[in-house]
């Protein structure tokens, strides 16, 4: 067939804006994305929607030509001067946006769906129920078997030349069938994600005093009821759930492991309730396939645990456990004490030998010095012991070059460190701010837009949260604008469309995503997708018709936790509390 084209065809304009809305005193920018051949220039208008549904144009500055970015041309209008609370929309010719709010409390509940729905649904090793709906059963009760040695597995897992445990390949490792979250749209327990989420949720809980209680968690019954309060803040219970998995790993084998993942591709592609991914019974090779006896099964469907030692992972788990101990104190003192004792013991053990530097894919931790720095900071915050402060100061020169990735952690140590520590950070802060100013003008949206095979919502979340942390600690150097630009990007002010990348957050949000219900072409409220993927060389896209484009549409738990932090940061910065 011969391809056909229409030389007169013009792509319909997109009015990029925050589907969530804006705080009265905040920056408000709308960006029109145009086909480069589109010479039409109707006015970009802001309209206030009155109580009776009528619309009144609001005086604003006109849209200015921003210029070209990727394959499109952009116009931009700043309507920050509009502060009156109410309901608004934008139009440009025959293109009309959905309504959005200007309100002091616009960010106040933006994290609720992530807390109330997304994280409960992601909980592994429990059954999760919502009124008349069962989200999933008590999955993976048969976790887990020791992975085979010298084996490279799917999804970036690999076992080294030894097990680094007392278990032989194929042995059941007892105690791993507790806690943790499904990493993403699939169902593995990726340890690096687990401790990232524990730390992120712990920070949100501590910094903002979040007492929201909408979920009942019964670890004894291994059961969760959504929208049923039980007297304990939800984030405390989520931190506890992640802590149980981290402790289970160190209890079972003596160190943090890469993760727990299905043994074969057939299970990797499993769609539906995770409880059906395995039979829940320990594998017994003496039994025939399908045979069940004494609570064991002849089906080799139990997940594998990848256990090669990696000091970076161990330090990451130490950081997570130390942070958890602060949040759990007063709610579950026994678990808090276990977490801190394990963190300090593992720290001493790691410091007593040369680091284990095994690395593979993205399952063996971040850079070793950065993970070690994070562990030292979290132990310092929890214990206030001087030798952790000394470790932080010693490690600082080793992590300074990667400041953008560890800035939030570095800032968290300031209250517990000598004045010289904050002073030593200032050149890195100034350098970050200089780069941020360049980022703000590199594209119409003022945030870093990635061009790799996994889209960049996580990068934007990190950029916005780093801005907030540096503004909090160095307000004379860093302002809050980058934080709000990040929120706007995630909720609709981005290339390609105006859809919010947080499901159920904003008037028009992500409704077809790669979650654990991806086969339904549906979504999980509060999940954050990777977002805008730039198809080389210059095409920004995010498909709403096919959830299996995981680089655009897959929920991952660290981004969910980061959104809880960011929404609360924006709420505080907007002066709502």
């Amino acid at each position: 067939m011969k391809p056909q084209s229409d030389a007169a065809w013009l792509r319909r304009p997109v009015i990029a804006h925050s589907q969530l809305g804006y705080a009265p005193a905040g920056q408000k920018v709308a960006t029109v994305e145009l086909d480069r051949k589109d010479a039409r220039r109707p006015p970009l208008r802001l309209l206030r929607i009155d109580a009776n549904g009528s619309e009144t144009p609001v005086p604003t500055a006109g849209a200015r030509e921003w210029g070209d970015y990727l394959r499109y041309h952009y116009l931009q209008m700043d309507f920050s001067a509009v502060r009156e609370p109410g309901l608004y929309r934008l139009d440009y010719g025959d293109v009309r946006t959905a309504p959005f709010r200007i309100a002091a409390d616009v960010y106040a509940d933006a994290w609720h769906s992530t807390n109330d729905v997304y994280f409960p649904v992601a909980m592994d090793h429990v059954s999760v129920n919502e009124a008349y709906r069962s989200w999933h059963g008590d999955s993976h009760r048969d976790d887990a078997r020791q992975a085979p040695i010298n084996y490279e597995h799917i999804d970036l897992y690999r076992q080294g030349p030894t097990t680094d445990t007392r278990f032989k390949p194929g042995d059941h490792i007892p105690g791993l069938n507790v806690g943790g979250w499904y990493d993403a749209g699939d169902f593995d327990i990726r340890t690096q994600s687990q401790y990232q989420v524990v730390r992120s949720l712990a920070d949100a809980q501590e910094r903002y005093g979040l007492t929201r209680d909408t979920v009942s968690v019964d670890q004894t019954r291994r059961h969760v009821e959504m929208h049923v309060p039980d007297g304990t803040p939800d984030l405390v219970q989520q931190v506890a759930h992640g802590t149980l998995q981290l402790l289970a790993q160190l209890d079972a084998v003596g160190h943090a492991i890469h993760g727990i993942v299905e043994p074969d591709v057939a299970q990797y592609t499993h769609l539906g309730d995770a409880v059906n991914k395995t039979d829940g019974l320990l594998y017994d090779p003496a039994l025939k396939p399908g045979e069940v006896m004494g609570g064991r099964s002849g089906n080799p469907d139990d997940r594998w645990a990848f256990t090669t030692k990696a000091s970076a992972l161990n330090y990451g788990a130490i950081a997570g456990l130390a942070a958890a101990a602060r949040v759990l104190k007063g709610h579950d003192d026994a678990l808090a004490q276990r977490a801190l004792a394990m963190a300090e013991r593992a720290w001493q053990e790691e410091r007593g030998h040369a680091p284990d530097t095994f690395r593979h894919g993205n399952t063996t931790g971040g850079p070793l010095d950065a993970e070690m720095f994070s562990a030292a900071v979290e132990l310092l915050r929890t214990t206030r012991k001087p030798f952790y402060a000394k470790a932080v100061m010693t490690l600082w020169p080793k992590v300074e070059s990667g400041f953008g990735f560890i800035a939030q952690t570095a800032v968290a140590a300031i209250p517990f460190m000598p004045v010289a520590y904050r002073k030593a950070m200032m050149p890195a802060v100034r350098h970050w701010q200089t780069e941020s100013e360049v980022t703000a003008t590199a594209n119409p949206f003022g945030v870093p837009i990635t061009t790799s095979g996994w889209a960049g919502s996580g990068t934007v979340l990190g950029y916005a949260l780093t801005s907030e942390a540096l503004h909090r600690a160095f307000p004379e150097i860093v302002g809050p604008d980058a934080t709000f630009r990040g929120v706007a990007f995630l909720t609709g002010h981005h290339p390609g469309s105006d859809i919010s990348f947080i499901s159920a957050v904003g008037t028009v949000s992500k409704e077809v995503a790669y979650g654990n219900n991806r086969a339904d072409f549906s979504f999980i409220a509060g999940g954050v997708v990777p977002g805008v993927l730039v198809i080389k060389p210059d095409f920004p896209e995010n498909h709403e018709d096919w959830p299996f484009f995981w680089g655009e549409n897959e929920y991952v738990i660290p981004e969910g936790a980061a959104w809880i932090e960011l929404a609360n940061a924006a709420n505080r910065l907007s002066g709502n509390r």
Side-chain angles (χ1 to χ4, degrees), residues 173-509:
I173 302 176
L176 294 177
N177 60 348
V178 294
W181 304 276
Y182 308 141
D183 172 51
D186 43 20
F187 301 99
D188 58 316
I189 294 279
R190 178 179 178 264
T191 298
Q192 192 169 339
S193 295
Q194 307 297 309
Y195 63 67
Q196 287 175 338
V197 169
V198 168
R199 291 185 64 205
S200 185
L201 295 182
D203 269 350
Q205 177 67 19
E206 286 185 292
R207 185 170 301 121
Y208 305 110
L210 304 176
T211 59
R212 186 168 178 80
D213 174 20
T214 67
V215 180
S216 291
V217 179
D218 189 333
Q219 292 290 351
T220 302
R221 293 176 53 224
R222 302 170 66 99
H223 183 70
V224 171
E225 282 287 343
M226 297 163 60
H227 312 306
V228 179
D230 64 357
T232 302
D234 294 336
L235 287 196
V236 172
Q237 291 177 320
Q238 291 297 336
V239 167
H241 197 67
T243 299
L244 289 172
Q245 174 60 209
L246 296 177
L247 284 172
Q249 294 182 13
L250 276 83
D251 282 335
V253 304
H255 58 267
I257 66 176
H258 310 181
I260 307 171
V261 65
E262 60 280 316
D264 57 49
V265 173
Q267 283 178 274
Y268 180 76
T269 57
H270 173 80
L271 299 176
D273 191 335
V275 77
N276 297 315
K277 192 166 187 175
T278 70
D279 60 15
L281 303 173
L282 303 190
Y283 171 61
D284 185 343
L287 299 176
K288 297 176 182 178
E291 186 178 2
V292 174
M293 184 180 298
R296 292 175 175 266
S297 162
N299 297 322
D301 58 3
D302 306 22
R303 293 195 296 184
W304 285 349
F306 284 77
T307 59
T308 303
K309 286 183 178 178
S311 289
L313 272 178
N314 234 21
Y315 281 118
I318 290 165
L321 290 171
R326 298 192 302 272
V327 167
L328 294 172
K329 187 177 181 181
H331 296 282
D332 189 336
D333 289 332
L335 187 58
Q337 290 166 10
R338 280 183 62 203
L340 182 56
M342 181 67 81
E344 294 208 87
R345 189 182 82 190
W347 170 270
Q348 291 299 327
E349 290 175 354
E350 277 293 343
R351 303 291 280 183
H353 63 78
D356 297 298
T357 57
F358 182 89
R359 299 198 66 80
H360 182 72
N362 63 3
T363 58
T364 48
L368 177 59
D369 287 335
E371 297 283 25
M372 197 183 307
F373 180 77
S374 297
V377 168
E378 295 294 4
L379 284 165
L380 173 62
R381 294 173 71 189
T382 304
T383 68
R384 318 292 172 91
K385 292 179 179 178
F387 58 83
Y388 293 126
K390 183 178 178 180
V392 170
M393 191 65 87
T394 301
L395 287 163
W396 166 250
K398 299 179 180 180
V399 299
E400 184 178 5
S401 61
F403 181 69
F405 296 100
I406 55 89
Q408 295 172 70
T409 298
V411 163
I414 290 175
F416 314 103
M417 294 292 291
V419 173
Y421 172 77
R422 182 182 185 277
K423 186 176 180 180
M425 287 177 61
M426 294 187 77
V429 176
R430 289 196 174 95
H431 179 69
W432 185 91
Q433 177 58 22
T434 298
E435 289 191 334
S436 178
E437 289 168 2
V438 173
T439 296
T441 59
N443 60 65
F445 308 100
V447 299
I449 296 177
T450 62
T451 57
S452 62
W454 184 273
S457 290
T459 298
V460 175
L461 282 159
Y463 172 70
L465 285 169
T466 294
S467 167
E468 186 278 331
L470 295 179
H471 174 63
R472 191 171 3 104
F474 300 90
E476 72 278 18
I477 301 175
V478 179
D481 289 352
T483 301
F484 288 109
R485 292 199 301 271
V487 174
F489 182 93
L490 290 158
T491 57
H493 187 237
H494 52 68
S497 73
D498 64 350
I499 195 170
S500 169
F501 292 140
I502 304 101
S503 293
V505 174
T507 313
V508 179
S509 68

Side-chain angles (χ1 to χ4, degrees), residues 538-557:
D538 62 359
F539 182 63
E541 73 168 21
N542 181 274
H543 274 272
E544 191 69 355
D545 57 351
W546 189 247
F548 297 94
F549 289 125
W550 47 263
E552 299 173 7
N553 289 331
E554 184 172 14
Y555 299 134
V556 288
I557 54 174

